[in-house]
Amino acid sequence: MLVSEIIQSSFPVLHYTNSVADAIELLQQNNTEHLAVVNNDHYEGLLSMDELLSAEDADNISMLTDKFIHISIADNQHFLSALKIITESGITALPVLSNNGEYLGIITEKILVQSLSSFLSADVPGGIFVLEMQKQKFSIGEISRLVETNDAFVTQINTYTEQLSGLLIVTFKINKTEISDILATLQRYDYTIRHYFGEEFYENGLKENFENLMAYLNV
């Protein structure tokens, strides 16, 4: 998914002629902490609510050019690059420019979260399991094959390295909510399952409650 696919071109912008009071009101109306400043159709930078609130001596936006945040992203970048920039910079809106520097619109935190949800297929039903392993033991092909032997398939994979242990943590989402057979297969092949989310949780809960009841009755 490219940045160009999630641009909000109609999102309000600030102009040099805007008063500080009007700018504050515009940010409040759009529930954002940052807005792009555009002058003669040219992107000048981002201006934050904090800078506006502290601009006691400024009459309009043109007097705050030294407070602008000079940050943007090209429209042909992947949307995960936009997510990285927003996360690292702490801004709430990211201006989008064309290759020749033309201002095209903005990406807000809200639209990024929605895009990430779609990217991760969060709205698609399915089970989730998390494996931990040494990096050299990770084989997407083998794990996918084991999942497929149980009449299922992998719809999403995400990985990260745990800092303390150095282990590779791999999260799989599959197209089935009933995952007990898949977990059993993985365990037979010596995979360590850290977490799992699916109907197996419900079955495990019933089993545990039953065992506790039998233990109580045998007292």
Side-chain angles (χ1 to χ4, degrees):
M1 187 183 302
L2 297 180
V3 166
S4 59
E5 300 176 59
I6 59 173
I7 295 175
Q8 294 169 271
S9 56
S10 61
F11 209 80
V13 297
L14 299 175
H15 300 277
Y16 276 1
T17 54
N18 286 132
S19 68
V20 171
D22 287 343
I24 291 174
E25 183 178 356
L26 193 59
L27 265 74
Q28 290 174 334
Q29 289 175 348
N30 290 276
N31 194 30
T32 184
E33 293 295 318
H34 300 83
L35 278 180
V37 180
V38 177
N39 184 40
N40 295 324
D41 296 325
H42 183 266
Y43 170 65
E44 299 292 338
L46 276 179
L47 193 55
S48 71
M49 177 67 85
D50 288 342
E51 294 295 352
L52 288 167
L53 292 174
S54 61
E56 299 177 353
D57 300 324
D59 294 326
N60 54 44
I61 300 304
S62 64
M63 301 175 67
L64 299 174
T65 55
D66 60 326
K67 305 298 183 182
F68 291 175
I69 303 170
H70 298 288
I71 192 169
S72 62
I73 190 170
D75 67 326
N76 60 357
Q77 294 296 305
H78 195 275
F79 91 97
L80 289 180
S81 297
L83 181 63
K84 183 175 185 290
I85 292 173
I86 283 185
T87 301
E88 292 179 347
S89 63
I91 59 176
T92 58
L94 178 61
V96 180
L97 308 182
S98 66
N99 285 333
N100 60 10
E102 177 188 3
Y103 177 79
L104 300 176
I106 210 161
I107 297 175
T108 61
E109 285 181 314
K110 181 178 180 180
I111 197 68
L112 266 180
V113 170
Q114 292 173 347
S115 301
L116 184 61
S117 176
S118 175
F119 180 73
L120 296 175
S121 303
D123 58 339
V124 178
I128 296 173
F129 60 88
V130 182
L131 304 180
E132 60 177 60
M133 66 190 72
Q134 298 295 332
K135 292 181 181 179
Q136 61 270 24
K137 293 185 177 181
F138 178 46
S139 171
I140 294 178
E142 179 178 70
I143 298 172
S144 297
R145 179 181 61 80
L146 294 176
V147 170
E148 290 167 6
T149 61
N150 291 282
D151 297 321
F153 60 86
V154 175
T155 59
Q156 185 71 36
I157 302 175
N158 290 281
T159 66
Y160 74 91
T161 301
E162 192 173 57
Q163 290 187 352
L164 288 178
S165 66
L167 292 172
L168 185 67
I169 309 302
V170 191
T171 301
F172 291 85
K173 183 172 183 180
I174 61 173
N175 67 321
K176 289 174 58 177
T177 56
E178 203 293 307
I179 61 175
S180 57
D181 52 349
I182 295 171
L183 297 180
T185 299
L186 292 170
Q187 288 173 329
R188 285 200 304 272
Y189 281 80
D190 295 325
Y191 282 101
T192 301
I193 300 166
R194 176 172 287 197
H195 307 294
Y196 51 89
F197 308 89
E199 291 183 10
E200 174 67 19
F201 260 147
Y202 177 67
E203 293 175 0
N204 281 348
L206 285 179
K207 182 179 179 182
E208 182 179 354
N209 290 339
F210 175 78
E211 290 174 347
N212 289 339
L213 175 61
M214 293 304 295
Y216 173 78
L217 293 175
N218 289 331
V219 172

